[in-house]
Amino acid sequence: MKVSIYRYNPETDREPSMKEYEVDTQGKDLMVLDILALVKEQDQSLAYRRSCREGVCGSDGMNMNGKNGLACITPLSQVAPGVLEGKKPLILRPLPGLPVIRDLVVDMGMFYNQYEKVQPYLQNNTPAPAIERLQSPEERAKIDGLYECILCACCSTSCPSFWWNPDKFLGPAALLQSYRFLADSRDNATEERLSKLDDPFSLFRCHGIMNCVSVCPKGLNPTRAIGHIRSMLLERGI
Amino acid sequence: MSIRTITFDAIVVGGGGAGMRASLQMAQSGFKTALISKVFPTRSHTVSAQGGITCAIASADPNDDWRWHMYDTVKGSDYIGDQDAIEYMCNVGPEAVFELDHMGLPFSRTEEGRIYQRPFGGQSKNFGEGGQAARTCAAADRTGHALLHTLYQQNLKNGTQFYNEWYAAELVKDDEGNVCGVIAIDIESGETVFFKAKATVFATGGSGRIYASTTNALINTGDGVGMALRAGLPVQDIEMWQFHPTGIAGAGVLVTEGCRGEGGYLINKDGERFMERYAPNAKDLASRDVVARSMMMEILDGRGAGPDGDHVFLKLDHLGEEVLHSRLPGICELAITFAQTDPVKEPIPVVPTCHYMMGGIPTNVHGQAIKLSGGHEGEDQFVNGLFAVGEVACVSVHGANRLGGNSLLDLVVFGRAAGLYIEDQLRQGMTQYEPTDANIDEAMARLNRWESSTGGESVPALRKELQSVMQNHFGVFRKGDLMAEGVAKLADLRKRIANAHLEDKSGPFNTARIEALELDNLLEVAEATAIAAEGRTESRGAHSRYDYPDRDDENWLCHSIFDPKAKKLGKRDVNFKPKTVDTFQPKARTY
């Protein structure tokens, strides 16, 4: 099968280019990450991130035939039907919208900055009890669909609002984490958290395009979380 | 040679659960602390832990007692876990777990609002007399992910200085062998830097990638053990490798023991629940070594499933869709992705898969690294400036076999303990050992070797060969002659790896360079494992030999100590002196 991969080494290349490789999968429907490993056996200069290879660490977010996702849990048949039969190539590019360090490796700095801005840690200024802070199963259920985020950046780098204003719009991933703490019954910094989001850019640049929802490899829904924060801001304003 | 030096009070190498718990402790104390991690911290392998953190917090059972947990852990270790360390872990555990809740870890909950605890293998009530205990605190089946993200968040809050995507390549020692810091590479730029610190804490995790089939992340290449061995320091019980009963056949991806805790069970190709024959009481929740061996025996006796009869099944469908989706949502995803199997409808094909390194750098409960001494506990000497916590360390709380849920507890308890101890030492005034230029050059030698290589075999091919040697010669069942062959093959590999070629010598994000350096570490761990496995002439815990099928307490109720300089195996006493409870005496281990 054919693979076309975005290559760029700042030390040797004046500009990026797509490089074609031929890989033998012996007809097997492998994961995209397996294909990258086979390419790297041929050409060790190829750079990409990977760690858990099972979709929980968030290292290998990339753009595969036009769609962001995790290489390790994306089978060839899903991302590029017909690729095994040689009908078309697998096309791998770095996540869009972030500076490229080398090949498929992007500089995640802006993405992490936005995450840090939402103060992604539990805040509670009451003295902690000798045991855990009690939380009912119903209260706990409110953070399901939020805490599972793996910070792979597939969502934020597929979001046009984030492409335009990566410094001012927090992006879907950071906002999902913001709501994760707003929704946690053990956190009592609600007012402070909301006031930080109450400007034209941080949250309100979300236009409900929902690319984030369609690409999230964990099946999470940042748009819904953003909607919940909007409601909280609205209620607070009344 | 002169390279840039960055100075801290303490550096932590590794951004998993143990490293970030240690760095958090030190950052809170205000000492200048850096955490060096070869991946962004939430990509560390702790993220893959699923089932939970075992600890007697008395939520599921108000009468639960940490001493029962201690008993189970000592028994699980097949009696070569150090009882003082196990006592410390089980006793301090609840405090450490409640802290995690206060930090925000999203534990699952009981109706009373307390932390949800599930049954796990090898856990009992009342010192083995009161039946199965539910003691494993869980955040659905994503406990490691929840824990790792929570710790990262707290480190952000407390201002830990992160060096993410920096790779620690070598220890720097002075002429007396005192540790001065590490040489590390900034992966993004390729720059090499000397990190100088009074305390160097290794939290580099395990090394499952020495095997061809493993549940471990691709980054688990034994960097800490490799650095220690090259520095001439010993490792302990390194022959003890846990094979997790339920890795997805073919893929190696982990399926939590929590599946069996929630009521799932293993069946052979005839649909028989075979664990009833091997462990009549605990059945599928016997200790991992017992279950893994039973599965292999079913497979070797021709009762394995699939066209090649090479796996068995984990049956979960009887638990119902609701339980599976609420308690084991991650497993459902993984089974569909990697086994094309929906556990709601059909059983998952599973096979014992390399999972955890019980051995490692010997330490005391403060994480202080121990060097070779007379061999008897009490006479231990410490390596000044070096600490180890988590999987890379051998405290030893897991002995010859770790219980499920005890690794996360190990991480937080001993990460915290080392942090507390170092904080205290720094306050009293810790020595900064100063290396000479020659010491730095020595630490740079391996890097320079790769940089000047002009030809030779490729790293991926050599790595594959090493992994297959370990898989074929040092698996679940071991045998003297087969292991001797394996040792010889590794000796040959050592010569070839010493002449291997790094073709790409570019600077920015050169992952070929990192993989080359990792290969050296894989080799160190593999060789130590092989020699120790061949040397321990008995069967104990995870170390199971055809030619020595019985436990030999007379000769081997002790730690093995591998000396890398002589490439010889020595012995070290196990601690049988807990401080507040009576010693648990070795007895026959049945489940």
Side-chain angles (χ1 to χ4, degrees):
Chain A
M1 59 167 277
K2 283 197 176 4
V3 200
S4 176
I5 304 179
Y6 178 102
R7 299 299 310 266
Y8 174 66
N9 180 345
E11 221 171 62
T12 52
D13 305 336
R14 286 182 56 193
E15 55 188 31
S17 62
M18 297 300 289
K19 188 167 177 190
E20 303 261 328
Y21 295 90
E22 189 68 40
V23 173
D24 183 9
T25 69
Q26 293 164 342
K28 280 191 240 166
D29 184 19
L30 301 176
M31 299 294 175
V32 171
L33 183 65
D34 299 326
I35 302 299
L36 282 167
L38 290 171
V39 172
K40 198 165 170 72
E41 282 178 21
Q42 300 174 20
D43 180 353
Q44 286 162 60
S45 71
L46 174 67
Y48 57 94
R49 293 188 175 102
R50 82 287 180 278
S51 173
C52 77
R53 62 80 172 91
E54 58 186 25
V56 296
C57 80
S59 296
D60 61 351
M62 61 186 67
N63 188 277
M64 300 170 282
N65 290 51
K67 192 175 174 185
N68 289 356
L70 298 178
C72 60
I73 53 169
T74 304
L76 289 171
S77 58
Q78 184 189 317
V79 68
V83 67
L84 285 170
E85 294 79 38
K87 289 180 189 154
K88 58 171 155 178
L90 173 69
I91 303 167
L92 304 177
R93 294 172 184 275
L95 288 174
L98 294 175
V100 173
I101 297 173
R102 173 172 175 171
D103 301 339
L104 300 172
V105 177
V106 292
D107 182 346
M108 304 269 284
M110 276 192 286
F111 174 80
Y112 295 137
N113 280 347
Q114 300 305 61
Y115 172 68
E116 288 177 30
K117 272 191 205 161
V118 303
Q119 301 188 327
Y121 37 80
L122 194 87
Q123 298 180 61
N124 188 323
N125 51 15
T126 63
I131 59 166
E132 67 271 44
R133 292 186 193 274
L134 300 183
Q135 185 175 48
S136 71
E138 295 72 32
E139 287 168 334
R140 169 60 184 75
K142 289 186 179 151
I143 49 179
D144 278 336
L146 306 171
Y147 81 93
E148 299 93 325
C149 174
I150 57 174
L151 300 177
C152 65
C154 286
C155 61
S156 294
T157 61
S158 71
C159 172
S161 298
F162 188 77
W163 294 339
W164 278 113
N165 298 105
D167 51 340
K168 289 191 250 175
F169 174 53
L170 292 169
L175 288 166
L176 187 82
Q177 287 317 294
S178 177
Y179 187 60
R180 176 251 174 275
F181 289 100
L182 285 165
D184 193 324
S185 62
R186 296 168 298 173
D187 187 278
N188 65 14
T190 307
E191 175 51 34
E192 195 199 337
R193 291 182 188 280
L194 288 176
S195 67
K196 286 206 165 113
L197 298 172
D198 201 359
D199 64 67
F201 279 95
S202 298
L203 174 125
F204 287 104
R205 278 286 125 167
C206 169
H207 298 309
I209 298 165
M210 295 182 72
N211 280 359
C212 54
V213 182
S214 76
V215 299
C216 176
K218 306 309 286 179
L220 309 179
N221 190 330
T223 307
R224 186 163 56 209
I226 292 168
H228 285 305
I229 306 177
R230 276 179 202 265
S231 306
M232 290 176 90
L233 280 165
L234 226 88
E235 277 167 34
R236 174 173 164 273
I238 297 168
Chain B
M1 128 173 222
S2 79
I3 61 172
R4 184 155 74 96
T5 300
I6 305 179
T7 307
F8 285 93
D9 290 316
I11 52 173
V12 177
V13 182
M20 287 209 287
R21 188 62 190 81
S23 63
L24 175 61
Q25 199 67 43
M26 293 187 283
Q28 282 170 338
S29 72
F31 285 103
K32 217 179 149 212
T33 308
L35 188 142
I36 301 167
S37 175
K38 66 175 172 177
V39 291
F40 182 77
T42 64
R43 326 287 182 211
S44 305
H45 187 53
T46 303
V47 82
S48 292
Q50 298 171 351
I53 175 165
T54 302
C55 187
I57 61 161
S59 163
D61 171 7
N63 298 316
D64 200 9
D65 191 318
W66 67 264
R67 295 165 192 88
W68 301 350
H69 180 199
M70 177 179 173
Y71 167 84
D72 293 336
T73 303
V74 171
K75 178 183 170 187
S77 80
D78 220 344
Y79 299 96
I80 59 164
D82 289 309
Q83 297 199 10
D84 58 341
I86 297 173
E87 175 189 39
Y88 180 82
M89 176 176 81
C90 296
N91 187 9
V92 172
E95 201 181 323
V97 169
F98 293 139
E99 280 171 3
L100 292 172
D101 167 76
H102 301 158
M103 291 177 197
L105 199 157
F107 283 112
S108 300
R109 297 287 161 164
T110 65
E111 285 305 319
E112 291 74 39
R114 296 208 56 196
I115 293 170
Y116 169 72
Q117 293 182 292
R118 62 164 51 113
F120 242 55
Q123 295 297 333
S124 77
K125 296 182 185 192
N126 197 18
F127 308 108
E129 303 292 323
Q132 176 73 40
R135 189 175 289 135
T136 303
C137 309
D141 57 358
R142 306 185 178 101
T143 316
H145 168 278
L147 184 145
L148 191 66
H149 280 254
T150 301
L151 285 175
Y152 179 63
Q153 292 160 354
Q154 289 298 313
N155 273 280
L156 280 181
K157 185 181 179 188
N158 286 281
T160 299
Q161 189 155 354
F162 285 102
Y163 287 85
N164 295 332
E165 297 185 327
W166 281 67
Y167 182 74
E170 213 70 283
L171 268 176
V172 176
K173 303 174 300 170
D174 68 10
D175 290 339
E176 277 72 51
N178 304 305
V179 169
C180 318
V182 295
I183 298 289
I185 302 169
D186 176 5
I187 299 176
E188 186 177 331
S189 71
E191 188 196 7
T192 304
V193 168
F194 169 41
F195 280 85
K196 190 163 94 169
K198 294 167 189 156
T200 298
V201 183
F202 274 2
T204 52
S207 185
R209 286 284 152 185
I210 62 170
Y211 286 92
S213 171
T214 173
T215 64
N216 282 197
L218 291 154
I219 57 171
N220 287 25
T221 52
D223 299 336
V225 172
M227 285 188 273
L229 287 170
R230 274 191 304 274
L233 299 173
V235 290
Q236 176 170 287
D237 297 336
I238 196 73
E239 68 277 23
M240 298 299 179
W241 282 87
Q242 177 163 84
F243 288 79
H244 195 289
T246 54
I248 292 179
V253 170
L254 173 70
V255 173
T256 176
E257 187 168 297
C259 291
R260 284 170 282 138
E262 298 287 347
Y265 55 85
L266 296 162
I267 53 175
N268 59 24
K269 74 167 181 188
D270 305 320
E272 183 206 2
R273 186 176 182 182
F274 59 85
M275 280 311 299
E276 289 177 335
R277 275 188 277 121
Y278 296 94
N281 296 314
K283 301 189 180 84
D284 297 83
L285 286 178
S287 214
R288 284 180 181 170
D289 56 335
V290 175
V291 180
R293 268 195 295 277
S294 307
M295 292 167 71
M296 286 311 293
M297 272 144 85
E298 288 298 296
I299 291 167
L300 295 171
D301 287 351
R303 289 187 293 277
D308 300 324
D310 59 359
H311 58 265
V312 297
F313 286 116
L314 174 63
K315 184 174 147 55
L316 295 171
D317 56 300
H318 58 287
L319 299 179
E321 191 166 351
E322 199 190 319
V323 169
L324 288 175
H325 286 169
S326 66
R327 297 284 185 219
L328 302 165
I331 293 308
C332 294
E333 273 176 40
L334 288 173
I336 290 168
T337 307
F338 289 100
Q340 293 78 48
T341 298
D342 182 356
V344 173
K345 297 182 192 132
E346 353 160 50
I348 310 173
V350 291
V351 70
T353 305
C354 167
H355 183 57
Y356 189 86
M357 176 176 84
M358 266 80 72
I361 299 171
T363 71
N364 65 3
V365 293
H366 306 302
Q368 286 179 282
I370 292 167
K371 58 185 175 184
L372 283 176
S373 59
H376 295 286
E377 157 264 314
E379 301 166 11
D380 288 337
Q381 293 171 30
F382 299 106
V383 185
N384 289 323
L386 184 66
F387 298 77
V389 290
E391 190 168 340
V392 66
C394 185
V395 180
S396 153
V397 286
H398 309 306
N401 170 66
R402 174 173 72 74
L403 293 186
N406 267 355
S407 62
L408 293 185
L409 187 65
D410 172 4
L411 302 187
V412 293
V413 166
F414 292 105
R416 180 180 183 269
L420 286 165
Y421 181 79
I422 295 166
E423 183 185 331
D424 186 55
Q425 293 294 300
L426 285 169
R427 220 162 254 133
Q428 293 179 32
M430 237 176 141
T431 310
Q432 173 66 63
Y433 296 97
E434 298 289 342
T436 61
D437 282 356
N439 296 142
I440 301 266
D441 286 346
E442 197 189 335
M444 290 288 294
R446 184 170 69 103
L447 274 173
N448 293 336
R449 206 292 290 166
W450 282 108
E451 293 311 312
S452 59
S453 69
T454 52
E457 293 179 84
S458 86
V459 169
L462 287 164
R463 184 176 55 216
K464 215 174 248 184
E465 194 174 327
L466 179 146
Q467 290 166 335
S468 105
V469 169
M470 294 309 290
Q471 192 75 26
N472 297 331
H473 294 264
F474 303 92
V476 175
F477 290 112
R478 298 166 173 183
K479 207 163 146 236
D481 50 357
L482 196 63
M483 288 194 285
E485 253 176 60
V487 170
K489 286 182 181 175
L490 289 170
D492 171 56
L493 270 167
R494 176 175 283 281
K495 287 187 206 137
R496 290 158 58 199
I497 290 173
N499 291 304
H501 184 207
L502 173 65
E503 194 183 325
D504 179 6
K505 299 190 176 68
S506 62
F509 228 99
N510 183 344
T511 52
R513 174 181 290 122
I514 303 301
E515 288 186 18
L517 295 168
E518 287 173 340
L519 177 64
D520 288 330
N521 294 326
L522 288 172
L523 174 70
E524 295 295 344
V525 182
E527 186 188 58
T529 299
I531 293 172
E534 198 190 6
R536 189 183 275 272
T537 48
E538 64 156 356
S539 289
R540 181 186 299 273
H543 179 63
S544 188
R545 291 183 64 146
Y546 283 125
D547 46 354
Y548 295 90
D550 300 318
R551 194 172 85 188
D552 177 2
D553 283 350
E554 204 169 306
N555 295 301
W556 286 105
L557 186 61
C558 61
H559 297 298
S560 75
I561 287 272
F562 173 72
D563 172 4
K565 288 179 192 150
K567 293 201 195 295
K568 288 246 162 64
L569 201 63
K571 294 180 179 181
R572 179 170 169 258
D573 286 355
V574 169
N575 179 291
F576 284 101
K577 291 182 207 134
K579 294 191 173 67
T580 63
V581 294
D582 291 340
T583 301
F584 293 110
Q585 296 297 342
K587 52 184 183 185
R589 188 163 156 261
T590 55
Y591 284 96

